[in-house]
């Protein structure tokens, strides 16, 4: 058993999952790979098992965040030291993992985030998403004085203390963990670092940020951030 | 309130109290959740048996037209009940999520003893 666990949350990704696994295995990283199927109804689970992956199949759809949290719980139970979040849709480039692991090995950081806005790759976002990212960058800076360029990045490396906290009931959102979670963790004293990542265009399927969802997402995130800031302030006051 | 209206309101109140009582006996609702409903039903009964209560309260709080006060009370009661339901649903959703995740993990590793650390019900 390796000390690093790569978690792939997946919902009906049978078209892209094989390619993602093949690419990941090419690099021979010192990692175990776990796929958490979030109630997939296609052949995602079958394909992942055939490729030799450890698979947790949730019986029905709980949400992207809840699928990740299932992976964190598993990582806690099995004693992993680090966790890497990796998407099943082919957006993340497996070659970025080496830099992520290097940073986790060599630097005193708790959360490592792969950013699409630090010069690597040519990822283009839609207007709504770009607006949301600029807004949340600013909010993160105002709340924490830390500059994060890509708060919605799903490519992250987490130390044990971080995913142990995430694994507890109520500490991680079911839908989209985002700027709110990063703000919460920074305010709790965890160190976050970004590195340039190559985030590619989805090979298959539809993005979870498409259609009318961005408006809901921005609204929900604003409320969530406000609640997290108030909560952490009251926790700090209680400690004093 | 005319005697017939009073009678109708009283019957509605009795039916509501009886219905909630029956639900409690059959364990279709628990005591905690029945409190707000019982409170509402008893209020209807009181108003039908002593209709002057509403007029007295309206005069006390300076409301010119007593029935509007009744609507206000009813609206607040209904909002409180809905809020309580939302709180319950959120809590249940969280617990169901936790249960589903634990079950899925146990299913994969039911033969392997695990070092349990994460996943407990704690928020700090």
């Amino acid at each position: 058993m390796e000390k690093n666990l790569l978690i792939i949350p997946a919902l009906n990704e049978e078209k892209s999952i094989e390619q993602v696994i093949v690419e990941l295995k090419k690099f021979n990283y010192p990692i175990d790979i776990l796929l958490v199927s979030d109630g997939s109804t296609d052949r995602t689970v079958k394909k992942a098992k055939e490729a030799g992956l450890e698979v947790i199949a949730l019986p029905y759809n709980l949400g992207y965040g809840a699928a990740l949290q299932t992976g964190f719980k598993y990582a806690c139970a099995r004693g992993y030291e680090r966790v890497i979040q990796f998407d099943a849709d082919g957006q993340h480039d497996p070659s970025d993992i080496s830099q992520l692991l290097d940073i986790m090995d060599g630097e005193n950081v708790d959360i490592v985030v792969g950013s699409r806005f630090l010069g690597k790759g040519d990822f283009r976002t839609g207007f709504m998403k770009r607006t949301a990212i600029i807004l949340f960058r600013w909010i993160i800076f105002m709340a924490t004085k830390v500059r994060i360029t890509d708060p919605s990045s799903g490519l992250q490396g987490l130390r044990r203390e971080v995913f142990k906290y995430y694994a507890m009931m109520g500490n991680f959102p079911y839908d989209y963990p985002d700027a709110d979670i990063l703000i919460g963790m920074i305010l709790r004293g965890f160190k976050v670092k970004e590195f340039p990542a190559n985030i590619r265009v989805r090979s298959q399927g539809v993005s979870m940020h498409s259609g009318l969802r961005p408006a809901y997402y921005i609204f929900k995130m604003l409320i969530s951030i406000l609640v997290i800031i108030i909560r952490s302030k009251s926790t700090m006051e209680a400690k004093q | 309130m005319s005697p017939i209206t009073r009678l109708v309101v009283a019957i509605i109140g009795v039916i509501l109290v009886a219905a909630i009582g029956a639900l409690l006996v059959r364990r279709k609702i628990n005591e905690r959740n029945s409190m707000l409903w019982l409170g509402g039903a008893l209020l209807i009964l009181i108003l039908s048996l002593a209709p002057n209560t509403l007029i007295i309260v309206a005069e006390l709080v300076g409301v010119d037209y007593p029935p509007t006060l009744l609507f206000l009370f009813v609206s607040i009661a209904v909002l409180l009940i809905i809020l309580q339901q939302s709180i319950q649903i959120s809590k249940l959703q969280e617990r169901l999520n936790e249960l589903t995740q634990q079950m899925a993990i146990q299913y994969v590793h039911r033969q392997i003893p695990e070092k349990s650390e994460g996943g407990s019900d704690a928020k700090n």
Side-chain angles (χ1 to χ4, degrees):
Chain A
M1 193 181 98
E2 300 287 349
K3 61 179 182 176
N4 306 310
L5 178 71
L6 185 131
I7 302 171
I8 309 176
L11 171 62
N12 297 333
E13 298 283 4
E14 65 174 8
K15 286 179 184 152
S16 58
I17 195 67
E18 266 177 332
Q19 180 68 17
V20 169
I21 298 168
V22 168
E23 280 188 37
L24 272 168
K25 289 200 164 171
K26 231 188 272 173
F27 285 88
N28 261 329
Y29 289 122
I31 49 173
D32 290 335
I33 306 176
L34 168 75
L35 183 131
V36 183
S37 164
D38 189 16
S40 295
T41 50
D42 64 358
R43 290 177 298 157
T44 304
V45 170
K46 190 170 175 275
K47 286 191 172 180
K49 278 184 179 166
E50 279 170 3
L53 261 57
E54 189 76 292
V55 177
I56 293 178
L58 293 168
Y60 54 90
N61 183 253
L62 291 182
Y64 175 82
L68 268 177
Q69 195 190 36
T70 309
F72 300 147
K73 287 178 199 293
Y74 173 91
C76 281
R78 303 303 312 275
Y80 284 98
E81 286 174 26
R82 295 183 299 205
V83 147
I84 300 156
Q85 297 172 200
F86 199 87
D87 283 358
D89 57 10
Q91 278 199 325
H92 295 157
D93 186 343
S95 68
D96 285 331
I97 292 173
S98 84
Q99 199 184 346
L100 189 150
L101 289 173
D102 285 347
I103 294 171
M104 296 201 90
D105 279 335
E107 295 181 40
N108 182 26
V109 285
D110 303 297
I111 302 172
V112 180
V113 182
S115 169
R116 77 201 82 179
F117 302 114
L118 290 176
K120 200 174 172 187
D122 58 346
F123 189 87
R124 282 182 178 78
T125 50
F127 173 74
M128 279 298 276
K129 178 112 196 242
R130 202 165 55 238
T131 312
I133 286 172
I134 291 168
L135 174 70
F136 292 131
R137 272 182 197 167
W138 179 76
I139 293 175
I140 292 173
F141 182 72
M142 294 310 284
T144 65
K145 301 294 169 217
V146 174
R147 285 194 194 279
I148 303 288
T149 60
D150 196 358
S152 61
S153 172
L155 178 64
Q156 296 191 10
L158 314 170
R159 274 198 205 289
R160 185 168 175 80
E161 284 308 306
V162 177
F163 66 78
K164 224 171 95 181
Y165 175 78
Y166 285 165
M168 288 173 190
M169 189 167 104
N171 282 358
F172 204 68
Y174 307 148
D175 45 11
Y176 315 123
D178 207 298
D180 52 344
I181 290 298
L182 282 178
I183 289 175
M185 294 313 272
I186 294 168
L187 292 177
R188 293 181 74 83
F190 289 101
K191 290 198 182 92
V192 181
K193 178 171 181 164
E194 284 189 311
F195 71 98
N198 176 27
I199 310 293
R200 305 177 291 198
V201 178
R202 281 177 62 88
S203 57
Q204 299 289 339
V206 182
S207 164
M208 63 185 176
H209 293 300
S210 60
L212 265 179
R213 286 181 188 171
Y216 162 79
Y217 154 76
I218 291 173
F219 185 65
K220 186 237 151 191
M221 199 51 61
L222 286 174
I223 291 175
S224 182
I225 289 171
L226 191 67
V227 169
I228 279 181
I229 291 172
I230 294 169
R231 214 183 269 157
S232 71
K233 286 218 166 131
S234 59
T235 313
M236 275 190 276
E237 274 165 19
K239 277 182 186 167
Q240 280 167 1
Chain B
M1 236 193 282
S2 70
I4 293 176
T5 318
R6 277 177 64 183
L7 184 68
V8 171
V9 175
I11 290 171
I12 292 172
V14 170
I15 291 173
L16 256 177
V17 172
I20 295 161
L23 286 170
L24 272 168
V25 171
R26 290 180 202 160
R27 296 179 203 277
K28 300 272 182 197
I29 189 170
N30 61 27
E31 287 80 358
R32 221 176 118 232
N33 285 329
S34 69
M35 285 300 126
L36 273 169
W37 289 110
L38 269 179
L42 288 174
L43 190 73
I44 291 173
L45 263 182
I46 291 167
L47 287 176
S48 64
L49 297 174
N52 284 342
T53 325
L54 191 63
I55 297 163
I56 295 164
V57 176
E59 267 174 22
L60 268 176
V61 293
V63 173
D64 294 334
Y65 185 55
T68 53
L69 193 65
L70 183 65
F71 280 114
L72 180 70
F73 282 154
V74 171
S75 306
I76 291 171
V78 170
L79 276 176
L80 281 176
I81 290 170
I82 295 171
L83 185 66
Q84 196 209 20
Q85 302 297 322
S86 293
I87 294 168
Q88 295 266 27
I89 290 168
S90 301
K91 205 187 274 176
L92 287 174
Q93 197 178 8
E94 200 151 284
R95 287 179 181 170
L96 185 64
N97 239 14
E98 176 73 19
L99 199 63
T100 309
Q101 291 174 329
Q102 293 293 355
M103 193 207 75
I105 294 169
Q106 292 302 321
Y107 183 76
V108 172
H109 280 293
R110 57 182 182 266
Q111 289 129 348
I112 303 170
E114 295 172 0
K115 288 190 266 173
S116 186
E117 255 190 83
S120 60
D121 182 2
K123 308 229 171 192
N124 294 307

